[in-house]
Amino acid sequence: MAKYIFVTGGVTSSLGKGIIAASLAKLLQARGLRVTIQKLDPYINVDPGTLNPYEHGECFVTEDGAETDLDLGHYERFLNIFTSQANNVTTGRIYQTVINREREGAYLGKTVQVIPHITDEIKRRILAIGETGEYDIVLTEIGGTVGDIEGLPFIEAVRQLQWEMPEEDCLVVHLTLIPYLKAANELKTKPTQHSVKLMSENGIHPDIIVCRTERPLNADLKKKIAQFCNVKTEAVIEAMDASSIYRVPIKMLQENLDLIVLKKLQINGYAAPELTKWKEFLEKLKHPTSKINIGLIGKYIELQDAYKSILESFVHAGAMNECKVQIVNIHSEYITDENVSEKLGGLDGLLVAPGFGMRGVEGKIIAVKYARENQLPFFGICLGMQMAVIEYARNVMGLKDAHSTEMDADTKNPVIDLMEEQKKVTVKGGTMRLGAYPCTLKEGTLAYKIYGHSPISERHRHRWEFNNKYLEQFENAGMIASGKNPATGLVEVVELPNHPFFIGVQYHPELKSTVENPQPIFVNFIKAAKEFAEQRSKAKTAVLQNETIS
Ligand code: GLN
């Protein structure tokens, strides 16, 4: 039977509940336990797939094609496991299930209510993961902050589970903030006391309090929090701001968070934490031997969460190459033919990001042209790959009006077109081509060299595709399709053999990069960017030497 850990948050949002949950899960996994994490989101959307990235950051797609909260990305990157639809549940999905059941007649004669019907459905979704028998521990992170009206049914479900289960089968970790007041030169515990009080009013008593803080908590302060919040002093955990999210598990290990959990859950016979690979990664992250600038061209660059998985993939691949990857965020809307060399001139590599809709696409196309003509390593993801195809059609093949029908429904040259199966789709939620599909790579290509085998499997989220009617024309002109879906022939990878590193992928490789398994395209892209940077600095030195001689 699985044991359950609930992670709640108080005082304010954005405390990094997902990172704390993932760090605790990592430590338990490192001690030999089988662990997974689930996120319960209190909003009414059935999933975050229809949300603008400005609202909710990136939408993370799982192997089974679920569009989920970006915290699932952290869970996968930390634990090196796959999550699934069952790992992310929203209020919308809970209500949808209950309402559908009501219509089917499942509750005939009964009034359907928040308690017990909604709470029962929440509990069912929590327990279902544990009942698979695949895990020793299921961590469930409750989104939002205690006290939010929309979170109440989730908190009530946790209360009921805590009451129903043997004491050693579940525990509650509460994450709060200990603010530092500069004027008083003091850390303040009152907001935490209030937050725990609010939890108690809802019938939940946290077993462990994790305190986010800018400054260390001394023993007196820990004791005070413990006393007022009615937990053991050892169960007050300091979570100081860290230089990297990947250091948080180590900090939690130093605070004995995992041992306190194991004790409460009465789990014996666990191993010493096996974190060799994790620590090697941290060492490399701390001591890079080189530095490069990668341009990230997108339209949501004001909000870093919009490209979370891409940014984290660069952290993994950078460490593997012992290279510090500096991301230069460039807004695609403001790139023009006139300013492109000024904006992209200092870069060692260019990544054109995924996206939807018209805004900023012309800037992306101009950026691709610059990378192609200047031998700058280029990596296009999803819409980024589609833009590379359009750029090649327009500027190399002479199809001046080439476009995607997503942006120009009447183009004479729809080199990117709506997938056949999408043409009858009218409903927006969960209807894209989603999740993992196989892809066959052509031997001798850059893609094959990068992965080292074929077929591969990567995750998707799109409606448009490369228009195969143009494939021969493209290949004759020098852009080849090096990866295809074996069943449908859908072009998954394009590349330019006469360029040092130019690759566009229809899928989202960033969704599968983890600390222990950096994604190979990212790893090789960094390698190519490093070479580009070295050549550039050699060329610069040569120019300087020549100038000195003359
Ligand atoms: N808008 C494009 C499509 O739907 C690309 C999607 C994406 O970048 N995820 O095909």
Side-chain angles (χ1 to χ4, degrees):
M1 277 299 285
K3 300 200 183 232
Y4 293 84
I5 299 174
F6 300 101
V7 181
T8 59
V11 180
T12 164
S13 57
S14 305
L15 289 182
K17 229 182 312 142
I19 302 297
I20 292 292
S23 299
L24 172 56
K26 180 76 215 166
L27 294 180
L28 296 171
Q29 185 194 53
R31 287 190 180 275
L33 296 164
R34 299 168 307 155
V35 188
T36 192
I37 320 187
Q38 176 188 46
K39 171 96 191 263
L40 304 183
D41 274 313
Y43 53 74
I44 296 172
N45 302 64
V46 171
D47 62 43
T50 52
L51 291 177
N52 186 313
Y54 285 128
E55 292 268 322
H56 204 253
E58 163 192 277
C59 174
F60 188 81
V61 180
T62 56
E63 283 289 291
D64 61 349
E67 295 180 287
T68 71
D69 184 77
L70 57 74
D71 270 339
L72 271 79
H74 288 309
Y75 307 161
E76 292 203 357
R77 290 187 281 272
F78 274 61
L79 297 179
N80 203 28
I81 57 163
F82 288 160
T83 55
S84 73
Q85 179 67 76
N87 295 72
N88 193 196
V89 178
T90 67
T91 293
R93 194 170 289 278
I94 299 281
Y95 272 80
Q96 191 182 48
T97 309
V98 171
I99 292 170
N100 286 345
R101 296 199 69 219
E102 187 275 335
R103 292 289 82 186
E104 285 161 11
Y107 312 108
L108 275 187
K110 292 269 178 260
T111 309
V112 181
Q113 294 181 299
V114 173
I115 303 171
H117 302 101
I118 295 297
T119 46
D120 277 354
E121 179 57 20
I122 297 173
K123 289 193 306 188
R124 189 184 70 76
R125 301 247 181 187
I126 293 171
L127 296 175
I129 298 197
E131 282 160 3
T132 59
E134 288 171 35
Y135 307 103
D136 303 311
I137 306 241
V138 178
L139 263 101
T140 299
E141 178 193 343
I142 317 286
T145 308
V146 174
D148 296 348
I149 291 177
E150 55 184 15
L152 282 173
F154 292 99
I155 297 291
E156 169 59 14
V158 172
R159 185 196 70 77
Q160 291 180 19
L161 285 173
Q162 214 183 10
W163 179 78
E164 286 163 20
M165 285 183 193
E167 243 180 67
E168 67 278 13
D169 279 1
C170 80
L171 68 79
V172 177
V173 177
H174 189 56
L175 175 65
T176 73
L177 175 71
I178 307 289
Y180 171 70
L181 276 197
K182 207 169 158 202
N185 188 25
E186 257 185 78
L187 286 165
K188 292 301 200 186
T189 64
K190 194 75 82 188
T192 297
Q193 294 177 37
H194 280 298
S195 176
V196 172
K197 192 166 162 230
L198 201 56
M199 293 270 284
S200 311
E201 280 167 15
N202 290 310
I204 299 185
H205 185 72
D207 300 280
I208 296 171
I209 301 191
V210 178
C211 305
R212 269 303 293 276
T213 172
E214 283 171 35
R215 306 189 165 217
L217 306 179
N218 60 32
D220 283 348
L221 213 70
K222 277 194 173 181
K223 197 170 158 204
K224 185 176 172 189
I225 298 167
Q227 207 171 31
F228 281 104
C229 300
N230 204 18
V231 297
K232 297 268 179 277
T233 312
E234 59 176 24
V236 177
I237 304 292
E238 171 193 292
M240 282 263 286
D241 295 354
S243 57
S244 155
I245 54 171
Y246 300 111
R247 298 203 182 280
V248 179
I250 306 299
K251 284 186 176 266
M252 293 300 102
L253 184 69
Q254 286 158 354
E255 287 281 304
N256 291 330
L257 175 60
D258 54 335
L259 291 180
I260 295 160
V261 165
L262 291 165
K263 190 169 150 195
K264 163 75 172 61
L265 296 179
Q266 294 181 17
I267 297 173
N268 303 311
Y270 47 82
E274 167 49 47
L275 289 164
T276 319
K277 261 188 133 177
W278 192 272
K279 287 182 178 165
E280 274 170 20
F281 160 79
L282 288 180
E283 268 310 293
K284 286 187 180 166
L285 193 64
K286 200 170 172 183
H287 303 291
T289 54
S290 58
K291 194 161 82 180
I292 53 165
N293 292 320
I294 299 290
L296 172 65
I297 315 286
K299 65 172 174 177
Y300 304 113
I301 52 151
E302 305 88 337
L303 185 80
Q304 289 300 291
D305 274 0
Y307 302 114
K308 198 81 214 161
S309 294
I310 291 177
L311 297 176
E312 296 306 326
S313 301
F314 276 127
V315 176
H316 310 152
M320 189 141 187
N321 280 291
E322 295 178 32
C323 174
K324 176 155 181 54
V325 181
Q326 302 196 119
I327 301 295
V328 183
N329 292 302
I330 302 169
H331 206 303
S332 52
E333 243 182 315
Y334 308 126
I335 302 175
T336 61
D337 284 321
E338 289 69 41
N339 68 18
V340 64
S341 44
E342 181 202 326
K343 279 190 186 283
L344 311 188
L347 301 176
D348 306 310
L350 185 78
L351 185 138
V352 178
F356 296 84
M358 188 66 196
R359 192 164 66 93
V361 299
E362 291 305 323
K364 287 185 174 174
I365 293 170
I366 294 169
V368 178
K369 178 168 184 267
Y370 179 90
R372 179 177 57 76
E373 290 179 344
N374 291 283
Q375 312 287 299
L376 181 66
F378 169 82
F379 183 7
I381 299 182
C382 208
L383 185 72
M385 168 264 196
Q386 297 176 355
M387 293 303 113
V389 169
I390 294 167
E391 191 279 321
Y392 207 74
R394 286 186 189 176
N395 299 325
V396 178
M397 292 154 63
L399 306 173
K400 289 290 169 218
D401 63 344
H403 219 320
S404 162
T405 51
E406 179 180 2
M407 288 90 199
D408 177 2
D410 303 320
T411 173
K412 296 265 174 322
N413 284 297
V415 290
I416 302 293
D417 202 5
L418 192 61
M419 278 181 274
E420 199 50 43
E421 75 247 31
Q422 286 287 328
K423 291 189 176 152
K424 37 190 185 304
V425 173
T426 51
V427 172
K428 292 280 182 257
T431 55
M432 283 189 236
R433 178 172 179 251
L434 291 165
Y437 285 92
C439 166
T440 317
L441 301 176
K442 213 186 259 174
E443 275 186 53
T445 61
L446 175 63
Y448 196 95
K449 202 175 123 210
I450 288 173
Y451 282 90
H453 61 93
S454 172
I456 55 158
S457 170
E458 294 281 7
R459 298 183 199 168
H460 300 73
R461 184 172 188 247
H462 65 121
R463 294 187 202 277
W464 276 263
E465 65 175 334
F466 183 98
N467 185 345
N468 267 323
K469 286 187 196 130
Y470 289 87
L471 182 57
E472 208 182 317
Q473 224 175 315
F474 270 92
E475 298 210 310
N476 289 338
M479 176 176 266
I480 63 156
S482 51
K484 283 186 192 168
N485 178 285
T488 62
L490 181 144
V491 173
E492 296 277 12
V493 192
V494 296
E495 58 186 76
L496 295 178
N498 66 0
H499 186 288
F501 191 100
F502 190 106
I503 190 162
V505 292
Q506 184 57 75
Y507 50 80
H508 289 264
E510 74 277 19
L511 300 175
K512 276 176 73 175
S513 187
T514 70
V515 167
E516 281 158 35
N517 263 323
Q519 209 283 338
I521 307 183
F522 280 87
V523 174
N524 283 276
F525 177 54
I526 301 289
K527 216 181 272 172
K530 265 172 78 172
E531 279 161 23
F532 185 87
E534 275 159 28
Q535 274 167 18
R536 203 168 43 169
S537 87
K538 266 189 213 150
K540 225 189 231 167
T541 323
V543 171
L544 283 177
Q545 275 169 352
N546 275 345
E547 278 172 4
T548 331
I549 294 162
S550 61

